[in-house]
Amino acid sequence: MSTDTERVEEGAETSILETWRDWYHLPVIGVVMLFMFWARTQSYSEFVTDDGTPALAGVDSWYHWRTIQWTAENYPHTMPYEVWTGFPTGTYVGQFGTLFDQLIVTLAMIVGLGDPSAETLYAVSLLAIPIMAALVAIPVFYAGRRLGGTIGGIVSVIVLALAPGQFFVRSTVGQLDHHVGEVLFMAIAVVAMMAALRVAEEEKPIYELVVDRDWDALRAPALYSGLAGLALGLYIWVWPSAVVLVGIFGVFFAVQLCLDYLRGVSPDHVAFVGAVSLGVTTIVTTVLFERASMGTTSFGYLQPLFALLVAVGCVFMAWLARQWNDRGLERRYYPAAIAGLIAATFLVMWLALPGLFDTIVGNATRRMLPFGNAATDLTIQEAQPPDNFLSEYAVSEFGTAFYTMLIGLALLVARPFLGREFRAEYTLVLVWSLFLISMTATQIRFAYYLVLAVAVVNAVFVADVVRIFNLDVQGGVRRLRQIETYQVIVLFMIVLLLFAPLLPPLASATVMERGDGVGPHGDAMVWEESNHWLEENTPEPGNYGDAENADKLDYYGTYDPANGDYDYPEGTYGVMSWWDYGHLITTQGERIPHSNPFQQNARSSSAYLTAQSEERGELILDAIATGANVNEQSNDELESIVAESDQSDEEIRYVMIDDQMVGGKFSAITRWTGPDRSHYVTPDGYEEGDTIPVSALRNASTDAPYHDTMQSRLYFDDASGMEHYRLVHENDEYVMAFTSYAIVNTQTGNVLTEDLGTVIDRMVQQQGEGEVDAPSDTAWEPQIYMNQRGGPQRIQQQYSVLQQIPQLQLQIFDVRQGAAIKTYERVEGATLTGTVEDEHLRDGNATVTASVQVEPGTKLDAFTYEQTATVQEDGSFELTVPYATDDELGVEDGYTNSSVETLGAYNVSVVGPHPDRNATGVQYEGQTEVPETAVVDGETIDVDVESVEFEEVDPGNETDTGNETDAGTGTGDEGTAGNETGDNETAGNETTEAIAPIAAEPAF
């Protein structure tokens, strides 16, 4: 009896081991998924605020929050057209408001029992991203198992879980963006296509079965192919630009059908999969159609046309193969014929469908090939190509797993040469992986796609190593007991090679560390105060002035644009800023920005911000309000556009400028309209590329073209000297310091014109070789650094490496301060008029000045607004001022509750030459109040000026026109004004010390 018991127990043990061997991967995958979710949610509390306001980790995340809220209000519909951005036309939001948002809202509906609260919707939105990231492990495992068995699949999901790069940082809590949805549905589409191809190779569907309607023989391949097409359609539903995968599949089918024909295998099998799957995708994307467009970022003609083109191409290639056989042509010429026909197809497309051709070729070069980036694409951080892709960037993203993936790809290619089975799905993985590598070398963001190929193809690497060394790690306890020492070493080396670079202590940053360090997006948190002020202290769009049309602009409403553009009701207005901040203005301030991170209207925003006069800036804004294209138009042309248009009262009323726009982002702003940044920072009298003497830096902050740009005059001069702009709010939470400097070669006394990065790189290289040489004045663009954020000591610390060269000097020539964000309102301005009696002041050389002290209501000191004009020959004068001396109008009147107040009345003085003395001085003075109504309606105010005792003007005294501080007193702290300036001297009283270098001898 004991023997029977032992046999039963042995049988039970065997059964348990067999069950474990068949199903052990499920708990392993479950643990990996839990780890992926935990690592991404460690900082959940950072995104839950006390007051319940959202705190998200990216600018695009804020707009997804907008589309998620809209979808919850209009469930199950998504936003078809957005009128709360892209003023004055609105825009199709395209890749926002898709299946990605619907899935999140659906989950919130389930959790909230059909009526989720705002808190529930927000919590679900935060957690949905890590959940989607964890779900990616499932298709990755099954794709890996198809290539390398169960062990290969497990290796794939572990690589996926430990990769600390773009996929991880874009799928942490707070990253409310569609990127993780893209990765999930791409993985599903690829593994579905792999399965469909394998079924087709086994079932062998051919044309005759279709003609005979043998559905029993076609059922399995048709079902799998249909599901693959549906998965591809869902991927496109998540992200319209996912049409890129249609192109990748198209290349695969072209390659595989040629290979099959060359090998003597009927192309019908794979062509069947292509025709059915891409046919289903055509149907799905046709249902999603929203607008007549060939663009990739909205549901238009491109998606169904491109899918149909690939489906028809598969059928055609299979038909051509049969014709080739019937005519007895050499098989080896078939691929050449296909290549020629593809080229001919693109030629016909170029002639007949230029829009489709431009879209396909343009996106291929910009997104898929590392040599076609547009200059404006390079202003987007995530769209820039990575530096040192194969050596540094790939290692930081994937560790050595990237290189073992390359070995895995080589092993796949080698399979037929080693007499091993080669399946169509292997070709698919090869083509897909190569495209993902190319895409990542083109734009750094696509590393979140490449992680799929890295994870999946490493299953091939591990499986082949296991096969080569006969490592049966799934053979049970008895097999494990027989494993040899060298096999243990090989297993250890595989684990070490794949995972050690992704874990401490070798990893520079692990997923655990990065997950613990995420927080809300810095720009969003800084802009929150200003945008909330905008929402509370400006009239609702539609209610500006006397209009009462706010009820026609429901924030969650549905709108149907006429002729592609929305016709806004009277009283609607826009907000001008750089495109980076458009989504924040929409979501935090519930106001309508002109430009946005779709890069809509980026060019016209650039044209305005870099305009060199108030006159041109005003013409650009007026022309924008008409819907006209303002790019590269002269002032006369802009005047004609405005004069000939049927312009309504909708205008851009507010301008918001932050510290980054006037500093580090200015270079990106100039790329859209030109000339580039170097033109604006080159002092007057010099050309780009000229050798610039140090002495020219003395007034570089005021005589370089940059000083005349609209954004500089508004931000640094607080609109002093401008007629139609008044400061209405400053961000009180942050005060920023700006340092302007140059690198000087003291041997020649010239500003160094060699690229600073090149200088530092060479110095680092020379440090180990002995003496470091001073750079020469070479023909590089002048390296004058205008308005770099940070005080002079911080700048010096950043470039302390330069102090190793005695001949090299950091030349500070200007330091300024400003609030993080300044908001301006456009007004008509009140016109001050008057007359002087003295005839000697009527010859045009007398100047009238109106000035008033303005209190911004922040940590920064009050400033003086000034406006000047010339006394005319008849003794009259007039000048326009934008600041009111009362605050009698507010939001309830259709205007602004300004947080900025004037301190008293305007002082008006007339300065001219004395008739008997060789001197200039004040000869008339007066004061006047300027009512708010006069400023907003453009009224005229008569000013009585009275003759005063002649007061000679000291030409050396300059008037303070902004919140600028003495350059010699900064500490480098980006804190309050007191911490930055020390004695708060104004920029107008600059001394030689203020522009002296920090180190070495004075420059002047």
Side-chain angles (χ1 to χ4, degrees):
M1 183 173 180
S2 61
T3 302
D4 293 339
T5 303
E6 289 175 0
R7 289 176 179 173
V8 171
E9 290 175 350
E10 182 179 350
E13 179 182 355
T14 301
S15 177
I16 293 172
L17 289 175
E18 289 178 350
T19 302
W20 169 253
R21 183 180 61 188
D22 293 339
W23 300 102
Y24 77 95
H25 59 280
L26 295 181
V28 173
I29 295 172
V31 170
V32 172
M33 292 175 66
L34 286 174
F35 170 78
M36 292 176 68
F37 179 78
W38 167 80
R40 288 164 169 78
T41 56
Q42 295 177 82
S43 299
Y44 179 82
S45 61
E46 296 292 326
F47 299 93
V48 181
T49 59
D50 294 335
D51 60 2
T53 57
L56 299 167
V59 170
D60 283 352
S61 298
W62 282 89
Y63 198 76
H64 267 298
W65 175 235
R66 156 92 170 126
T67 55
I68 285 170
Q69 288 179 299
W70 195 98
T71 302
E73 290 286 333
N74 298 272
Y75 190 78
H77 303 289
T78 57
M79 184 185 296
Y81 193 84
E82 171 68 290
V83 302
W84 284 80
T85 193
F87 183 86
T89 61
T91 186
Y92 281 96
V93 292
Q95 55 193 331
F96 291 80
T98 65
L99 179 62
F100 172 80
D101 306 275
Q102 287 175 311
L103 290 173
I104 293 175
V105 175
T106 300
L107 181 59
M109 288 286 181
I110 296 172
V111 174
L113 302 179
D115 186 21
S117 64
E119 292 77 13
T120 298
L121 186 64
Y122 180 61
V124 170
S125 299
L126 288 179
L127 295 175
I129 305 305
I131 290 173
M132 288 186 186
L135 289 174
V136 175
I138 296 175
V140 164
F141 168 77
Y142 284 104
R145 188 163 76 167
R146 298 190 66 83
L147 299 176
T150 301
I151 289 297
I154 290 175
V155 168
S156 294
V157 296
I158 295 176
V159 170
L160 177 75
L162 295 180
Q166 290 287 315
F167 172 61
F168 181 83
V169 300
R170 292 174 183 270
S171 59
T172 57
V173 65
Q175 287 283 355
L176 188 55
D177 209 338
H178 52 256
H179 299 310
V180 66
E182 297 172 44
V183 177
L184 174 61
F185 281 89
M186 173 184 267
I188 293 172
V190 171
V191 75
M193 187 63 74
M194 292 172 67
L197 291 168
R198 184 55 180 163
V199 170
E201 286 182 323
E202 293 174 346
E203 299 294 331
K204 295 180 172 53
I206 57 175
Y207 173 71
E208 286 74 16
L209 294 176
V210 177
V211 173
D212 295 340
R213 299 183 180 181
D214 189 348
W215 304 125
D216 290 338
L218 295 174
R219 182 178 294 110
L223 176 61
Y224 277 86
S225 298
L227 290 175
L230 177 61
L232 178 56
L234 292 176
Y235 174 35
I236 294 173
W237 190 358
V238 167
W239 187 51
S241 298
V243 69
V244 66
L245 189 57
V246 175
I248 294 174
F249 283 171
V251 173
F252 154 72
F253 282 117
V255 171
Q256 186 61 42
L257 291 172
C258 288
L259 290 176
D260 283 347
Y261 187 69
L262 290 175
R263 295 187 303 162
V265 178
S266 172
D268 286 10
H269 314 328
V270 171
F272 180 87
V273 176
V276 173
S277 62
L278 273 299
V280 170
T281 302
T282 301
I283 296 172
V284 172
T285 52
T286 301
V287 172
L288 298 174
F289 183 88
E290 284 185 352
R291 61 180 302 207
S293 168
M294 282 293 183
T296 61
T297 58
S298 60
F299 299 115
Y301 295 131
L302 178 65
Q303 290 83 3
L305 277 178
F306 201 21
L308 180 62
L309 183 64
V310 175
V312 171
C314 290
V315 174
F316 175 79
M317 287 185 67
W319 171 84
L320 183 63
R322 288 172 175 262
Q323 298 300 313
W324 210 267
N325 281 339
D326 292 345
R327 288 166 174 75
L329 301 176
E330 286 283 345
R331 288 180 178 267
R332 59 182 176 175
Y333 297 130
Y334 176 78
I338 293 298
L341 288 171
I342 292 175
T345 300
F346 275 95
L347 177 62
V348 172
M349 188 187 303
W350 177 59
L351 296 173
L353 297 170
L356 180 61
F357 176 85
D358 291 343
T359 299
I360 294 174
V361 175
N363 279 274
T365 55
R366 290 174 55 190
R367 297 189 176 188
M368 304 179 71
L369 301 173
F371 48 75
N373 295 79
T376 51
D377 287 343
L378 299 178
T379 66
I380 309 173
Q381 184 177 8
E382 65 181 20
Q384 296 179 6
D387 294 330
N388 304 314
F389 171 61
L390 291 176
S391 58
E392 297 179 10
Y393 185 73
V395 174
S396 67
E397 285 282 325
F398 316 110
T400 53
F402 175 78
Y403 303 106
T404 53
M405 176 203 68
L406 297 180
I407 297 174
L409 292 175
L411 290 171
L412 276 181
V413 173
R415 289 180 72 93
F417 302 101
L418 300 176
R420 302 178 62 195
E421 180 187 22
F422 189 87
R423 305 199 294 254
E425 59 185 310
Y426 298 161
T427 307
L428 173 63
V429 170
L430 282 166
V431 172
W432 173 61
S433 300
L434 292 176
F435 268 108
L436 294 188
I437 292 171
S438 179
M439 289 168 64
T440 305
T442 304
Q443 297 187 12
I444 58 175
R445 60 174 171 173
F446 289 133
Y448 62 71
Y449 279 147
L450 183 56
V451 72
L452 294 175
V454 171
V456 168
V457 178
N458 265 291
V460 177
F461 169 75
V462 171
D464 278 13
V465 172
V466 167
R467 180 186 61 81
I468 292 171
F469 291 95
N470 194 27
L471 302 174
D472 185 6
V473 294
Q474 303 181 74
V477 176
R478 293 181 180 177
R479 183 66 186 88
L480 288 176
R481 289 172 179 171
Q482 299 173 2
I483 195 168
E484 300 290 339
T485 302
Y486 79 92
Q487 294 173 318
V488 173
I489 295 174
V490 171
L491 281 174
F492 177 76
M493 292 300 295
I494 292 174
V495 173
L496 192 66
L497 182 63
L498 281 176
F499 306 128
L502 303 176
L503 295 169
L506 296 182
S508 58
T510 66
V511 294
M512 294 81 76
E513 294 169 339
R514 289 193 170 178
D516 188 44
V518 299
H521 189 265
D523 284 349
M525 296 300 98
V526 173
W527 275 72
E528 187 173 37
E529 178 199 336
S530 294
N531 283 329
H532 286 173
W533 180 92
L534 195 70
E535 179 184 14
E536 297 169 1
N537 295 279
T538 60
E540 295 182 66
N543 279 359
Y544 193 91
D546 298 328
E548 296 181 356
N549 293 315
D551 58 338
K552 298 179 181 179
L553 286 173
D554 183 2
Y555 192 63
Y556 298 109
T558 301
Y559 303 92
D560 184 18
N563 300 320
D565 295 335
Y566 182 70
D567 185 14
Y568 288 91
E570 182 182 355
T572 309
Y573 58 87
V575 180
M576 169 61 72
S577 189
W578 187 228
W579 65 259
D580 289 20
Y581 309 113
H583 290 343
L584 299 178
I585 293 170
T586 297
T587 57
Q588 294 179 338
E590 295 191 12
R591 295 298 181 263
I592 309 175
H594 172 60
S595 57
N596 49 51
F598 304 136
Q599 292 196 313
Q600 180 188 15
N601 299 325
R603 199 172 300 279
S604 51
S605 292
S606 171
Y608 170 78
L609 294 170
T610 60
Q612 296 275 272
S613 67
E614 182 181 11
E615 176 192 11
R616 179 165 180 79
E618 285 291 277
L619 285 171
I620 289 173
L621 292 189
D622 289 340
I624 285 174
T626 70
N629 183 353
V630 301
N631 302 331
E632 300 181 1
Q633 304 279 1
S634 68
N635 284 7
D636 290 340
E637 290 170 330
L638 291 173
E639 286 180 357
S640 298
I641 290 172
V642 174
E644 295 172 3
S645 69
D646 182 18
Q647 185 176 353
S648 64
D649 290 335
E650 299 92 64
E651 294 186 34
I652 292 177
R653 294 289 183 181
Y654 298 93
V655 178
M656 302 181 76
I657 300 176
D658 80 335
D659 59 291
Q660 296 189 62
M661 291 166 61
V662 298
K665 290 187 177 182
F666 183 68
S667 178
I669 293 173
T670 63
R671 288 191 186 184
W672 287 86
T673 51
D676 62 17
R677 170 190 167 277
S678 62
H679 162 79
Y680 290 95
V681 302
T682 301
D684 288 347
Y686 296 89
E687 301 291 335
E688 297 177 53
D690 285 351
T691 298
I692 300 174
V694 174
S695 58
L697 299 179
R698 179 183 294 276
N699 297 315
S701 62
T702 57
D703 68 1
Y706 176 85
H707 174 72
D708 294 325
T709 61
M710 288 296 292
Q711 69 170 31
S712 177
R713 294 186 66 188
L714 289 172
Y715 187 88
F716 289 116
D717 295 344
D718 293 312
S720 188
M722 304 181 79
E723 297 180 340
H724 303 293
Y725 293 87
R726 62 174 181 176
L727 180 69
V728 291
H729 180 257
E730 283 189 342
N731 187 301
D732 193 34
E733 190 169 350
Y734 303 92
V735 175
M736 302 300 178
F738 303 90
T739 302
S740 297
Y741 64 94
I743 308 301
V744 175
N745 184 344
T746 57
Q747 288 182 332
T748 63
N750 294 326
V751 175
L752 182 67
T753 56
E754 188 172 18
D755 178 74
L756 184 58
T758 303
V759 174
I760 295 177
D761 289 344
R762 185 175 64 242
M763 289 173 56
V764 171
Q765 179 181 359
Q766 291 177 342
Q767 281 178 345
E769 301 175 357
E771 183 178 354
V772 180
D773 297 329
S776 60
D777 295 321
T778 55
W780 295 74
E781 69 177 40
Q783 293 299 304
I784 298 176
Y785 296 82
M786 296 283 286
N787 303 316
Q788 300 299 295
R789 195 164 68 176
Q793 291 188 9
R794 176 172 297 182
I795 298 296
Q796 183 176 5
Q797 290 170 0
Q798 292 173 344
Y799 294 94
S800 59
V801 64
L802 298 178
Q803 301 305 315
Q804 299 177 52
I805 304 180
Q807 302 92 338
L808 204 60
Q809 190 179 91
L810 182 66
Q811 177 70 52
I812 303 294
F813 59 91
D814 187 42
V815 174
R816 308 178 183 217
Q817 276 191 325
I821 303 164
K822 295 188 177 187
T823 303
Y824 291 86
E825 181 184 14
R826 287 180 74 204
V827 292
E828 289 295 322
T831 300
L832 308 183
T833 63
T835 304
V836 296
E837 299 297 333
D838 291 353
E839 293 185 359
H840 68 275
L841 296 178
R842 297 184 178 189
D843 58 1
N845 60 359
T847 300
V848 58
T849 300
S851 64
V852 66
Q853 285 289 108
V854 181
E855 171 57 60
T858 63
K859 300 169 184 174
L860 295 175
D861 295 335
F863 61 90
T864 300
Y865 167 82
E866 279 191 355
Q867 182 62 281
T868 61
T870 301
V871 177
Q872 301 301 306
E873 292 183 0
D874 61 356
S876 66
F877 65 82
E878 69 175 40
L879 38 73
T880 303
V881 297
Y883 287 96
T885 55
D886 63 30
D887 54 358
E888 62 186 59
L889 297 179
V891 172
E892 63 278 3
D893 305 300
Y895 297 103
T896 308
N897 285 333
S898 177
S899 297
V900 178
E901 297 182 353
T902 53
L903 301 177
Y906 276 85
N907 293 312
V908 181
S909 61
V910 179
V911 177
H914 194 280
D916 302 321
R917 296 163 56 182
N918 185 22
T920 299
V922 178
Q923 301 188 48
Y924 282 84
E925 285 185 343
Q927 284 192 334
T928 184
E929 300 288 340
V930 177
E932 182 90 356
T933 53
V935 167
V936 298
D937 294 333
E939 297 175 0
T940 299
I941 299 173
D942 291 328
V943 182
D944 291 329
V945 290
E946 298 180 355
S947 178
V948 297
E949 183 177 352
F950 181 78
E951 180 182 346
E952 186 173 337
V953 175
D954 181 1
N957 291 335
E958 299 178 7
T959 304
D960 176 25
T961 60
N963 296 325
E964 300 177 7
T965 62
D966 178 57
T969 58
T971 64
D973 296 331
E974 292 180 13
T976 63
N979 289 336
E980 188 65 43
T981 64
D983 54 6
N984 287 325
E985 290 187 67
T986 63
N989 295 324
E990 280 188 350
T991 64
T992 301
E993 288 75 23
I995 53 176
I998 288 178
E1001 300 177 359
F1004 307 109

